Amino acid sequence: MSPNGCPPSGSTPPGHAMYALAKRLFPICRSITGNGFRRSLEIIAEYIPGLKVFEVPSGTQVFDWTVPKEWNIRDAYVIDPSGKKIIDFKNSNLHVMGYSTPVDQKMSLDALQGHLYSLPEQPDAIPYITSYYKERWGICLSENQRRSLSSGEYHVVIDSELKPGSLTYGEVVIPGSSEKEIFISTYLCHPSMANDELSGPVVVTELIKYLFASSDKEKLRYTYRFVLIPETIGSITYLSRNLKQLQKNVIAGFNISCVGDNRCYSYLSSRAENTLADRAALHALKFTDPNFKRYSFLDRGSDERQYCAPGIDLPVCCITRSKINEYPEYHTSLDDLNLISSEGLQGSFDVILKAFRCIELNEYLKIKVLGEPQLGKRGMYPTISTKDTREQVEDMMNFIAYLDGRLSTLEIADKINTPLWSLEETIAKLKKHDLVESVASPLPSNIDNVVELNNTIKNIV
Ligand code: ZN
């Protein structure tokens, strides 16, 4: 697997493929349940093998929650007093509050105002509003349009259906040599918005495609489990059905959302803060863009809330670009296909793949010789010296200098300030020449004894 995610020559570059998929999924009206979610999964299944679809009936108890009724919508519109259709669901599915109950009613502007939602601070934007757990209906519109409404009788039609059905989610497992897993979650429950959320599912689709292709050539070290779920109720439902398995096998996990714009990269830590997932994400981001933004678990807002909850305690952190809640277009009609780009999606794909690579390459190694190994006689030393080769030798010697089995390869790469994926060849050569042995877990180091001895001496002095 290439850490930079380069496509095989002749195929569509991943960034373009991801953008094209986002464009295809964009018009569908999705929600936490219903046919929009199913249709989106069906489309994604055309691109990847092995997508399993699960249906969980409404009313199922999932931890402290209950799977809600299923919501579907065919059409919605508002006719003004002059008989003109001024709001049309077919122009923007954001016009209808998610989970709106059906309505076909004539009413005054005053009565209608109680059901209207707009954003005075962003007068051009249609807000994204939902009401999953209290039955009501609502129409969302721009503040400018709202201000233009004159008094008179309005006709509101929402042709929706809210009744027992099921919650749908998708899962893909790519088996590796180990049953230990890397877990990746993304959500697919928003109507027409691009960064939050289509960027997550399209990057995940491309990652699945890529990992399947890689595992055909050479088995991956770890098993990869991907889930495409409705946010919150979906992660709670998934956890309630798979918790034991996840707790037994997941060594690192990532919640992927808002990965389509190219304004910045961001990281949000797991609750435990220093898991393998956190370290891999930080390492991958640091060597992609040192100016990436760091958020603490206190800034959480997506499914990491469930994955890191007390008693669940999965090692899940987030790699994102402009994070949820942190960009002006968030949850409005302005979060459209102009906000994301092939480059933005490609950058996220690359950085997530790098984080995976860090985990694949992470192990505890111990050098088998005393003193520096003589690399020249093994052909590991370049025979000509250039700036490039000098840097390579320096990285290799620094790496070897810390191989006492106490730090993992990822920790050493961090310490010597070199991307772990660039040390892959060095690690392979050290193994080939039988210069290192793998150790199962960190060894206690003689350095600890030295430090202890120094502290004792300091105290005596
Ligand atoms: Zn959202």
Side-chain angles (χ1 to χ4, degrees):
M1 158 166 100
S2 150
N4 61 15
C6 288
S9 57
S11 67
T12 313
H16 293 281
M18 288 184 273
Y19 190 85
L21 178 57
K23 215 169 153 184
R24 208 177 150 198
L25 293 167
F26 190 78
I28 300 172
C29 183
R30 283 164 293 271
S31 187
I32 54 171
T33 62
N35 294 329
F37 193 103
R38 288 191 193 98
R39 178 67 194 133
S40 302
L41 272 189
E42 266 170 32
I43 291 175
I44 287 170
E46 292 173 23
Y47 296 77
I48 49 174
L51 178 75
K52 273 197 196 162
V53 177
F54 296 82
E55 297 281 350
V56 184
S58 304
T60 306
Q61 191 68 26
V62 287
F63 295 150
D64 200 36
W65 296 57
T66 308
V67 174
K69 290 178 189 167
E70 182 177 323
W71 185 69
N72 284 294
I73 178 159
R74 282 175 289 269
D75 198 10
Y77 53 88
V78 177
I79 311 256
D80 78 359
S82 72
K84 197 172 149 207
K85 197 181 261 190
I86 49 158
I87 284 174
D88 191 348
F89 172 79
K90 292 191 180 87
N91 294 337
S92 170
N93 53 36
L94 291 173
H95 276 313
V96 176
M97 171 194 278
Y99 261 65
S100 277
T101 48
V103 60
D104 182 352
Q105 219 177 311
K106 291 188 175 162
M107 62 184 73
S108 67
L109 179 58
D110 266 3
L112 178 62
Q113 288 287 6
H115 295 276
L116 296 184
Y117 297 84
S118 60
L119 295 167
E121 322 77 55
Q122 288 175 286
D124 293 328
I126 305 167
Y128 167 50
I129 311 276
T130 61
S131 180
Y132 302 131
Y133 299 102
K134 180 170 165 28
E135 292 194 5
R136 50 156 74 97
W137 63 267
I139 295 287
C140 307
L141 73 174
S142 73
E143 177 69 13
N144 285 339
Q145 187 177 19
R146 187 175 190 169
R147 283 186 201 143
S148 74
L149 301 179
S150 49
S151 58
E153 191 182 61
Y154 286 79
H155 184 190
V156 184
V157 173
I158 297 179
D159 183 9
S160 64
E161 214 173 49
L162 186 59
K163 61 178 196 185
S166 56
L167 174 152
T168 313
Y169 67 84
E171 180 190 53
V172 176
V173 177
I174 306 171
S177 305
S178 164
E179 64 172 12
K180 293 294 173 198
E181 291 182 356
I182 297 174
F183 175 69
I184 302 97
S185 178
T186 193
Y187 53 91
L188 186 63
C189 54
H190 291 34
S192 298
M193 282 177 294
N195 197 39
D196 181 33
E197 69 174 6
L198 286 174
S199 64
V202 302
V203 167
V204 158
T205 301
E206 199 61 32
L207 288 168
I208 295 169
K209 240 163 85 179
Y210 189 87
L211 292 178
F212 264 122
S214 301
S215 71
D216 278 349
K217 285 180 222 136
E218 189 188 353
K219 205 151 195 191
L220 299 161
R221 181 175 168 200
Y222 293 113
T223 295
Y224 288 73
R225 180 180 300 268
F226 290 86
V227 293
L228 295 117
I229 52 174
E231 203 176 17
T232 307
I233 188 66
S235 48
I236 289 172
T237 301
Y238 187 79
L239 284 166
S240 76
R241 293 157 66 101
N242 297 281
L243 182 60
K244 282 214 161 67
Q245 162 87 7
L246 294 170
Q247 286 179 329
K248 180 171 165 258
N249 288 332
V250 172
I251 57 160
F254 303 92
N255 186 45
I256 305 298
S257 85
C258 299
V259 281
D261 68 317
N262 46 7
R263 289 172 180 159
C264 64
Y265 288 97
S266 313
Y267 151 82
L268 186 139
S269 85
S270 70
R271 185 164 66 97
E273 294 178 3
N274 192 26
T275 70
L276 178 56
D278 291 280
R279 276 181 277 139
L282 286 168
H283 193 82
L285 285 164
K286 177 168 88 173
F287 291 106
T288 301
D289 176 5
N291 298 318
F292 74 93
K293 292 185 181 172
R294 285 169 186 249
Y295 292 98
S296 92
F297 189 65
L298 294 174
D299 301 308
R300 70 198 178 283
S302 180
D303 286 315
E304 67 278 4
R305 294 172 1 238
Q306 316 311 331
Y307 298 130
C308 298
I312 308 281
D313 301 319
L314 291 172
V316 174
C317 70
C318 305
I319 294 175
T320 85
R321 279 181 166 268
S322 290
K323 194 183 88 56
I324 58 168
N325 270 325
E326 299 288 337
Y327 60 99
E329 300 87 352
Y330 172 71
H331 275 198
T332 76
S333 55
L334 305 179
D335 188 348
D336 61 13
L337 290 165
N338 295 315
L339 188 62
I340 64 166
S341 64
S342 303
E343 298 74 37
L345 294 163
Q346 176 75 57
S348 302
F349 171 83
D350 290 347
V351 83
I352 297 164
L353 215 48
K354 282 174 183 166
F356 292 169
R357 197 70 201 135
C358 288
I359 298 168
E360 292 270 327
L361 290 172
N362 191 43
E363 60 182 323
Y364 290 92
L365 294 174
K366 186 178 180 304
I367 194 87
K368 289 167 83 172
V369 298
L370 291 172
E372 284 183 349
Q374 194 186 351
L375 299 173
K377 71 179 181 189
R378 297 176 171 96
M380 290 178 69
Y381 225 84
T383 46
I384 44 168
S385 174
T386 64
K387 188 167 174 283
D388 271 359
T389 59
R390 274 198 302 280
E391 276 173 13
Q392 277 167 22
V393 167
E394 197 181 302
D395 286 344
M396 177 166 69
M397 297 315 292
N398 282 341
F399 185 68
I400 290 170
Y402 282 94
L403 285 179
D404 62 359
R406 194 174 67 107
L407 296 177
S408 75
T409 48
L410 178 55
E411 288 166 320
I412 297 173
D414 255 336
K415 197 175 248 312
I416 68 173
N417 206 25
T418 300
L420 179 53
W421 52 87
S422 75
L423 294 163
E424 191 165 358
E425 208 183 313
T426 298
I427 296 170
K429 280 185 189 164
L430 289 168
K431 285 182 176 173
K432 186 178 144 213
H433 292 289
D434 197 27
L435 281 167
V436 286
E437 60 185 336
S438 291
V439 292
S441 51
L443 294 174
S445 166
N446 288 335
I447 288 177
D448 294 336
N449 297 337
V450 174
V451 172
E452 205 176 301
L453 189 63
N454 274 350
N455 286 340
T456 314
I457 293 165
K458 239 191 275 169
N459 288 340
I460 294 168
V461 173

